[in-house]
Amino acid sequence: MESTNQVLLKGNEAAIYGALLAGCECFFGYPITPASEIAHAAANLFPALDRPFLQAESEIAAINMVFGASASGRRAMTASSGLGISLKQEAVSFIATCELPAVIIDIMRGGPGLGNIGPEQSDYNQVVKGGGHGSYKCIVLAPNSAQEMCDMTYEAFDLADRYRTVVYVLTDGVIGQMLESLKLPEPLPRRPIPEWAIDGGVNKRDNYIASIYMDHDDLEAVNIRLQEKYALIEKEQQQAESYYTDDAELVIVCYGIISRVAKTAVAKLRDKGLKVGMLRPQKLFPFPKSHLNDLVNKECMKSFIAIEMSNGQMIDDVKLAIECKKPVHFYNRMGGNVPTVKEIIEKCEKILKEQQ
Amino acid sequence: MEKLKFGKSSGFFDTFERRPGAIKKNMHYCPGCGHGILHKLLAEALEEMDIQDQTVLIAPVGCSVFTYYYFDCGGISVPHGRAPAVGSGIARANPDSFVISYQGDGDLGAIGFNNFIQAANRGENMTVLFVNNAIYGMTGGQMAPTTLPGQKTMTSPQGRDPLTEGYPLKVCETVAALDSPVYVERCALTSYKNIMQAKKALRKGLENLKNRKGFSLIEFLSGCPINLKMTTDEADHFIEERMMKYFPIGKFKDIADDRPAISKHLGIFEPAAVKRILYPNRQSSSKSKDFRNKSEIFTKERRIKCAGFGGQGILSLGMMIANMARLRNFNVTWLPSYGPEMRGGTANCSVVLSRDDVGSPIVDKDTNLLIAMNQPSMDKFLPELKKNGVLLYDSSSIEVPNCSEDKKVFGINAAEIAEDLGDHRVANSVILGALSFILRDYFLEGDDKADFDKTFEEAIIDCFANKKGIVDLNLKAFYKGKAAVETCF
């Protein structure tokens, strides 16, 4: 029988296919809804490729295992959601400071507190802004389909290596749970063990990995180096999808499941002759500042609307990016609710009416 | 060059260049500290066993946070208490490395005890060197989990009261009670005799590591004269007269000889082999990538909602439809009821198929096809059925609905048919059979009529791949559903 790269997978499962095809060597995780299918797929497929899978005793353990595996020069990942990500933050700060590559998938659920297992986007701040202690940031990819769950996880390992940093794949419960048709990418060969790894071996015996700098100037130098790296990432990695933005008077900024709903809403608004577009950040750090500023300077462009499943976390980045040169409206749902096509259409129509 | 009699072991660096500041020859430890003794034993063992290249020594948080200043082997500094978790990651990712987790009583016994005990219980290939000095050192003399009853510290100024602060944590005894660890011994870094025994225990622990026997724990009762506010001799006396009464030294467990070596993951990375495992096999009868069904119904996006009780196979019904769409090269999304809607045992799923990219995968309005399998679902979702929409429902439990004329309504007693077949769970395939008939007779044109019968069957086979009994039963239900609906309309 002939094999095919055409598959039907849940977003959560697609991420594991992307990881394995990118040559991810080990998975460490702890079950949490709505991210558990990632661990389920990993539990089946990592052993099928004779690569280690381990269910850790906690979220904290899982990320520290990733820390160890990455320090050994192996491509490693974990996955979680909301409160689980909160627990991981200390180790993420260590990994970022040690400048190790690592991939973390966050399938956002309802918060705060125990919240619920419905979809939300309320991990935005704790993922996009660093999250743990200290001045660090992580690259954050924001898929909105099973195809992108696969492709972005695949790409995440390369980005993590290139910048020696933590890369998050950040999406919501809907994208994680949704089954969708996609094409699998080509398998990558195993990455050679990097020079910096504590791999065991005569040439690498000198390597050590630490984030403790007793001398203040030494630690300041580390901080400056990190900030230079983040500046480079901002320069090189901004990414967004534009949909009907060319002549738009109102541009919706949103990511994840909302961008799927908003796409349908924009198509319907366009059917009515209303000039609404959508800009979807595909990376949240770096935020697509240049894409937003290209729009700000257009004459037809009157305002933006940030739509979120959180309390106004992403909107701050929109306003900062455009330095508040145009109004940024806001619409959100929380608690596991997803904005509907109807709600988005009504909100946009109201804004368009007001700005005439 | 011949080694100097009193020279440092080559397990250490000759000078400690990683140590900031002017002092590059001495360690940072206080006089009389047990870490100095254990460091020396470890450096000698690394050298003599010739394992420096493969060793990864994990520096914890605590006084031994700077081990990587001194040891000429791989080193990593980790979050407080997490050394066994980091070590598990290293040991699993690189099975050729020898992982030594060097931890104090706060790191291991307090903040990191779960990571420690779980690594022990998994039998990780790791040797833990546990330095127990009954007090926190680096943070300045606070109470440790191993602080003795009555012992005064900065945070137990009246002396540890076992009734409020508990008794000291017996780590070796706890670990020895587990089945996985292969070697557990407690030693004391006091007299020459005790230190020689500690040296022996350390070798044994490292041998186990080398032979991939799993988890070894060696606890070292160790002096901290500064924080205990004692002289070195008094600290030794404290260990031997007070600590050893509560923490007896000796071997608690040694079963390494009976254990087989832990196997290693080699990993499959060769692209063709990876593809063989990850890429699914194409269904022999499936169509080429360019195939498109020509019927007009497929020119537009089709939004389908399946709803009923949990356990009626609602989600697999949707999945079979989604699979069918995939087999015929549609872009398709399937979204299960998820989050708050799961309450009360109802289940539903949204399926969207399209020739273009699918926008919103949430079918909450503009439903083209509603499949309702219980009354609450019918009541809830019927208002969302679009003009000219199709309703298919289980007439065994749902009243004849009141629909506007434009709707095409089909009822079939799916649950009863499934019961007759001996399994109520196949009601979903009965419904699917009915759907295939309805599609063929009302919506499909030309070659699509024959093609779609086949597609449905393929989708069922696909959905329950590798479960032949279930496939057969569902196919039977599918034909029954088809036949039943044929006689109805």
Side-chain angles (χ1 to χ4, degrees):
Chain A
M1 248 194 294
E2 186 198 348
S3 75
T4 170
N5 66 348
Q6 308 267 345
V7 289
L8 190 59
L9 293 172
K10 280 191 168 190
N12 282 341
E13 297 161 342
I16 287 300
Y17 279 80
L20 288 166
L21 291 166
C24 179
E25 288 161 86
C26 38
F27 182 97
F28 305 96
Y30 186 81
I32 182 168
T33 312
S36 292
E37 292 84 357
I38 300 178
H40 301 171
N44 277 315
L45 296 173
F46 275 77
L49 291 170
D50 200 20
R51 305 181 194 180
F53 163 87
L54 181 60
Q55 179 171 329
E57 65 271 25
S58 67
E59 300 284 3
I60 296 173
I63 186 66
N64 278 287
M65 288 169 184
V66 168
F67 181 27
S70 175
S72 309
R74 268 64 174 183
R75 286 192 156 175
M77 71 180 296
T78 187
S80 189
S81 177
L83 42 171
I85 297 293
S86 306
L87 282 168
K88 293 183 190 298
Q89 296 288 16
E90 182 199 26
V92 175
S93 172
F94 272 67
I95 299 171
T97 315
C98 293
E99 298 192 76
L100 296 176
V103 173
I104 304 171
I105 303 179
D106 179 1
I107 308 297
M108 291 182 281
R109 58 183 261 164
L114 194 51
N116 64 29
I117 57 169
E120 255 199 10
Q121 296 180 326
S122 48
D123 290 353
Y124 185 94
N125 279 347
Q126 74 156 338
V127 168
V128 177
K129 307 291 178 178
H133 60 288
S135 305
Y136 74 91
K137 284 196 170 186
C138 307
I139 295 178
V140 183
L141 311 179
N144 79 345
S145 63
Q147 183 71 61
E148 281 193 350
M149 285 294 282
C150 178
D151 292 349
M152 286 187 173
T153 308
Y154 184 86
E155 183 198 4
F157 288 93
D158 274 338
L159 290 170
D161 271 354
R162 191 182 326 159
Y163 297 102
R164 287 184 58 180
T165 191
V166 177
V167 179
Y168 273 97
V169 177
L170 179 72
T171 195
D172 48 81
V174 178
I175 301 300
Q177 294 292 321
M178 181 174 64
L179 191 82
E180 200 169 12
S181 37
L182 69 142
K183 283 182 194 148
L184 296 175
E186 287 291 309
L188 295 178
R190 189 175 203 166
R191 180 196 59 174
I193 304 294
E195 277 306 304
W196 46 259
I198 42 165
D199 172 46
V202 181
N203 297 326
K204 292 175 177 142
R205 189 159 111 193
D206 275 351
N207 289 345
Y208 72 103
I209 285 166
S211 58
I212 179 168
Y213 298 90
M214 297 304 282
D215 184 274
H216 296 193
D217 290 338
D218 288 350
L219 184 55
E220 188 176 47
V222 169
N223 269 285
I224 291 169
R225 191 177 72 228
L226 288 176
Q227 300 317 311
E228 284 169 356
K229 174 162 85 178
Y230 303 142
L232 180 69
I233 290 170
E234 286 216 64
K235 201 174 136 203
E236 295 180 344
Q237 289 298 333
Q238 294 181 35
Q239 189 188 352
E241 178 197 356
S242 299
Y243 184 64
Y244 283 111
T245 51
D246 281 352
D247 61 344
E249 293 165 12
L250 170 64
V251 171
I252 299 168
V253 185
C254 59
Y255 67 101
I257 179 59
I258 304 181
S259 64
R260 298 289 293 265
V261 180
K263 207 166 197 174
T264 301
V266 168
K268 292 192 174 199
L269 286 160
R270 286 278 166 173
D271 285 346
K272 295 184 184 185
L274 297 172
K275 292 188 171 164
V276 179
M278 177 180 80
L279 186 79
R280 170 172 79 94
Q282 287 169 294
K283 292 196 181 88
L284 295 167
F285 179 79
F287 204 70
K289 290 179 182 169
S290 59
H291 300 74
L292 283 161
N293 281 302
D294 287 348
L295 294 175
V296 155
N297 296 324
K298 285 192 176 190
E299 209 150 306
C300 58
M301 173 64 203
K302 299 217 174 78
S303 68
F304 293 93
I305 174 169
I307 307 182
E308 301 179 23
M309 279 142 62
S310 45
N311 62 329
Q313 300 190 19
M314 182 196 65
I315 191 174
D316 291 351
D317 281 335
V318 179
K319 287 180 176 173
L320 282 171
I322 60 166
E323 292 171 349
C324 294
K325 283 178 200 148
K326 292 270 165 75
V328 184
H329 306 279
F330 183 57
Y331 184 71
N332 73 333
R333 294 297 306 270
M334 293 183 282
N337 292 314
V338 182
T340 62
V341 173
K342 188 167 168 259
E343 287 166 10
I344 294 175
I345 288 175
E346 283 170 4
K347 183 76 189 172
C348 290
E349 282 177 335
K350 193 164 169 258
I351 294 167
L352 288 170
K353 213 170 162 188
E354 282 166 3
Q355 71 189 21
Q356 255 170 15
Chain B
M1 204 169 72
E2 202 175 303
K3 213 174 159 193
L4 290 172
K5 198 174 173 193
F6 300 104
K8 264 205 283 291
S9 158
S10 68
F12 288 129
F13 291 117
D14 195 31
T15 54
F16 303 135
E17 299 302 327
R18 292 174 183 172
R19 189 177 179 189
I23 302 166
K24 302 290 187 195
K25 292 203 166 169
N26 297 334
M27 293 186 185
H28 69 284
Y29 297 111
C30 312
C33 170
H35 283 301
I37 303 168
L38 182 55
H39 275 32
K40 185 160 180 272
L41 295 180
L42 178 58
E44 287 170 358
L46 292 177
E47 178 191 356
E48 285 161 28
M49 291 174 69
D50 195 22
I51 55 171
Q52 275 164 274
D53 284 339
Q54 300 97 316
T55 296
V56 179
L57 178 61
I58 308 180
V61 170
C63 289
S64 45
V65 67
F66 298 120
T67 56
Y68 61 89
Y69 284 176
Y70 311 124
F71 288 94
D72 185 5
C73 63
I76 179 168
S77 147
V78 304
H80 198 17
R82 309 305 163 212
V86 175
S88 301
I90 298 169
R92 301 267 172 157
N94 177 13
D96 293 324
S97 58
F98 300 144
V99 178
I100 301 172
S101 176
Y102 190 116
Q103 299 180 266
D105 41 45
D107 195 79
L108 182 147
I111 194 168
F113 195 69
N114 189 37
N115 298 125
F116 163 75
I117 203 82
Q118 299 285 351
N121 196 47
R122 283 192 301 266
E124 295 289 348
N125 196 45
M126 181 190 303
T127 294
V128 175
L129 310 182
F130 169 38
V131 176
N132 176 4
N133 53 20
I135 199 155
Y136 276 60
M138 181 161 264
T139 46
Q142 296 87 358
M143 187 179 73
T146 51
T147 292
L148 296 180
Q151 188 186 331
K152 289 181 178 170
T153 71
M154 297 301 282
T155 48
S156 58
Q158 309 303 318
R160 178 176 189 157
D161 179 357
L163 293 180
T164 52
E165 277 123 12
Y167 286 91
L169 187 66
K170 293 187 172 183
V171 173
C172 280
E173 287 82 348
T174 309
V175 173
L178 301 173
D179 293 331
S180 294
V182 292
Y183 182 70
V184 181
E185 180 159 352
R186 183 183 287 127
C187 309
L189 300 172
T190 51
S191 64
Y192 178 77
K193 181 173 160 247
N194 283 339
I195 291 173
M196 283 306 104
Q197 182 54 35
K199 180 176 175 166
K200 233 172 108 187
L202 178 61
R203 293 298 160 99
K204 178 70 186 165
L206 298 183
E207 284 296 337
N208 290 343
L209 200 54
K210 215 173 159 179
N211 298 328
R212 294 190 59 73
K213 294 289 185 164
F215 193 90
S216 302
L217 165 69
I218 306 138
E219 176 175 341
F220 302 91
L221 302 180
S222 170
C224 183
I226 296 288
N227 282 302
L228 293 171
K229 302 182 174 67
M230 293 174 186
T231 66
T232 309
D233 284 347
E234 285 168 350
D236 277 355
H237 188 78
F238 171 79
I239 294 169
E240 292 191 344
E241 295 304 315
R242 291 189 57 197
M243 282 186 85
M244 274 161 60
K245 283 212 175 82
Y246 199 86
F247 299 115
I249 58 172
K251 204 178 283 182
F252 290 81
K253 191 174 186 184
D254 183 4
I255 56 163
D257 289 345
D258 307 330
R259 276 287 162 83
I262 300 170
S263 60
K264 299 175 184 179
H265 287 283
L266 299 175
I268 296 169
F269 290 90
E270 198 276 309
V274 170
K275 267 188 180 177
R276 252 195 315 279
I277 294 163
L278 291 187
Y279 282 29
N281 287 320
R282 187 180 279 280
Q283 294 294 319
S284 50
S285 57
S286 75
K287 302 286 182 186
S288 77
K289 281 180 198 166
D290 311 316
F291 176 82
R292 296 286 179 271
N293 291 97
K294 299 208 171 61
S295 303
E296 205 204 325
I297 183 179
F298 297 129
T299 53
K300 281 190 194 159
E301 183 174 276
R302 293 296 155 188
R303 308 179 72 79
I304 303 165
K305 178 73 109 187
C306 308
F309 286 126
Q312 276 183 315
I314 296 295
L315 301 187
S316 10
L317 173 61
M319 208 174 282
M320 287 189 273
I321 297 172
N323 253 302
M324 201 181 79
R326 177 183 65 87
L327 290 168
R328 288 300 175 264
N329 299 321
F330 288 94
N331 290 318
V332 59
T333 60
W334 169 94
L335 181 66
S337 55
Y338 160 68
E341 287 181 43
M342 287 295 281
R343 279 190 230 120
T346 65
N348 75 70
C349 62
S350 301
V351 179
V352 182
L353 43 129
S354 174
R355 290 280 177 223
D356 300 321
D357 289 342
V358 177
S360 173
I362 303 166
V363 177
D364 54 0
K365 225 178 140 264
D366 298 345
T367 309
N368 297 111
L369 167 64
L370 170 63
I371 300 176
M373 291 183 70
N374 69 359
Q375 193 67 49
S377 301
M378 175 72 99
D379 298 343
K380 184 170 177 193
F381 295 112
L382 188 57
E384 291 170 8
L385 190 61
K386 210 179 170 179
K387 199 178 168 206
N388 299 322
V390 178
L391 170 67
L392 172 58
Y393 69 98
D394 186 350
S395 57
S396 2
S397 62
I398 304 176
E399 291 168 26
V400 179
N402 237 336
C403 284
S404 54
E405 296 255 317
D406 57 289
K407 309 284 194 297
K408 288 197 174 59
V409 182
F410 304 91
I412 177 173
N413 56 338
E416 286 164 10
I417 294 172
E419 284 295 344
D420 288 347
L421 284 169
D423 192 339
H424 66 276
R425 288 174 305 178
V426 296
N428 54 3
S429 290
V430 176
I431 286 278
L432 203 64
L435 179 64
S436 95
F437 174 85
I438 294 162
L439 272 177
R440 193 185 64 194
D441 269 39
Y442 291 84
F443 299 101
L444 297 180
E445 301 151 21
D447 295 343
D448 288 354
K449 284 181 188 276
D451 178 51
F452 252 62
D453 261 2
K454 232 179 182 169
T455 319
F456 274 102
E457 285 176 37
E458 284 170 25
I460 291 173
I461 295 167
D462 229 47
C463 232
F464 301 105
N466 307 325
K467 296 177 201 156
K468 198 177 176 305
I470 299 176
V471 169
D472 289 347
L473 184 62
N474 277 281
L475 283 176
K476 211 166 151 190
F478 173 76
Y479 296 127
K480 281 271 182 196
K482 219 156 101 174
V485 85
E486 236 161 330
T487 52
C488 285
F489 306 105

